[in-house]
């Protein structure tokens, strides 16, 4: 069962990566960074946001793999963890038209890569790293590991739901970035 989920997440990451490349690789730097208005992120900012938010999970993933991760107390309340995870998952769905303001730690400005002209290549490498993490997390996924949000230790959800959130969130931002070209 978990192998099927792992294959789905990895497939989603591969598809999303290819969809970003197909949609935006022919754009020049100015087109990637053009903001349709001051309140809308550019295509590049959408990509940067995904890298920033996904990377914020990596220290948690590292601790899980090392065996040093300490589940927060709230992680022991199963029904609450699932409810919080489901609420977040619904909020990041591509078809959810409600605009969500991101928290400061996940804003595109937190992106640290300096080779802005190679953003899609950096994103592709990042996606490969994320895919590798999924393989490494398999034992924890099979045990039903619960984690806290990288943004708030008081928000906990199952690790498998975190990967659902990550992959769904990427599709949301792909759709958002594509709207800029319309």
């Amino acid at each position: 069962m978990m192998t099927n989920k792992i294959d789905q997440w990895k497939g989603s990451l591969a598809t999303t990566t290819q969809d970003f490349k197909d949609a935006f690789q022919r754009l020049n730097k100015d087109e990637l960074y053009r903001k349709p208005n001051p309140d809308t992120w550019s295509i590049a900012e959408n990509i940067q946001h995904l890298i920033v938010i996904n990377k914020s999970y990596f220290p948690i993933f590292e601790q899980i793999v090392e065996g040093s991760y300490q589940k927060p107390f709230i992680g022991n309340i199963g029904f609450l963890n699932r409810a919080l995870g489901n609420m977040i998952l619904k909020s990041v769905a591509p078809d959810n038209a409600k605009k969500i303001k991101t928290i400061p730690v996940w804003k595109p400005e937190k992106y640290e890569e300096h080779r802005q002209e190679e953003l899609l290549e950096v994103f592709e490498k990042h996606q490969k790293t994320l895919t590798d993490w999924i393989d490494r997390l398999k034992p924890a996924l099979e045990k039903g590991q619960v984690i806290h949000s990288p943004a708030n230790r008081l928000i906990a959800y199952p690790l498998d739901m975190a990967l659902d959130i990550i992959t769904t969130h990427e599709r949301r931002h792909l759709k958002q970035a594509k709207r800029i070209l319309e």
Side-chain angles (χ1 to χ4, degrees), residues 60-128:
I60 295 169
F61 294 169
E62 184 70 39
Q63 290 172 15
I64 290 169
V65 169
E66 290 174 350
S68 63
Y69 181 74
Q70 296 293 314
K71 179 173 66 171
F73 174 76
I74 196 155
N76 295 316
I77 309 171
F79 74 91
L80 181 59
N81 299 326
R82 282 257 166 229
L84 286 170
N86 280 324
M87 183 182 71
I88 295 167
L89 185 58
K90 286 178 186 169
S91 75
V92 300
D95 295 331
N96 180 354
K98 187 175 183 213
K99 220 173 168 175
I100 305 166
K101 192 163 180 88
T102 195
I103 61 172
V105 72
W106 287 334
K107 289 195 177 216
E109 299 90 71
K110 299 293 184 181
Y111 177 72
E112 295 178 2
E113 184 62 48
H114 297 289
R115 299 172 302 166
Q116 302 292 345
E117 64 280 354
E118 299 171 4
L119 184 59
L120 285 168
E121 287 136 19
V122 172
F123 180 67
E124 186 174 18
K125 287 177 188 165
H126 166 77
Q127 294 289 84
K128 171 75 172 96

Side-chain angles (χ1 to χ4, degrees), residues 6 60-62 64-65 132-142 159 163:
I6 287 171
I60 295 169
F61 294 169
E62 184 70 39
I64 290 169
V65 169
D132 292 344
W133 273 118
I134 292 171
D135 285 329
R136 294 175 65 196
L137 291 167
K138 185 177 180 184
L141 287 161
E142 290 172 338
L159 178 59
L163 295 171

Side-chain angles (χ1 to χ4, degrees), residues 53 56-57 60 88 102-106 148-155 157:
I53 197 167
S56 73
Y57 281 91
I60 295 169
I88 295 167
T102 195
I103 61 172
V105 72
W106 287 334
H148 64 79
S149 164
N152 187 334
R153 290 190 61 85
L154 297 177
I155 299 172
Y157 37 82

Side-chain angles (χ1 to χ4, degrees), residues 41 45-53 102 106 108 169 173:
W41 286 348
E45 287 172 316
N46 276 280
I47 296 168
Q48 291 167 340
H49 167 68
L50 291 176
I51 293 170
V52 168
I53 197 167
T102 195
W106 287 334
H169 181 244
H173 280 282

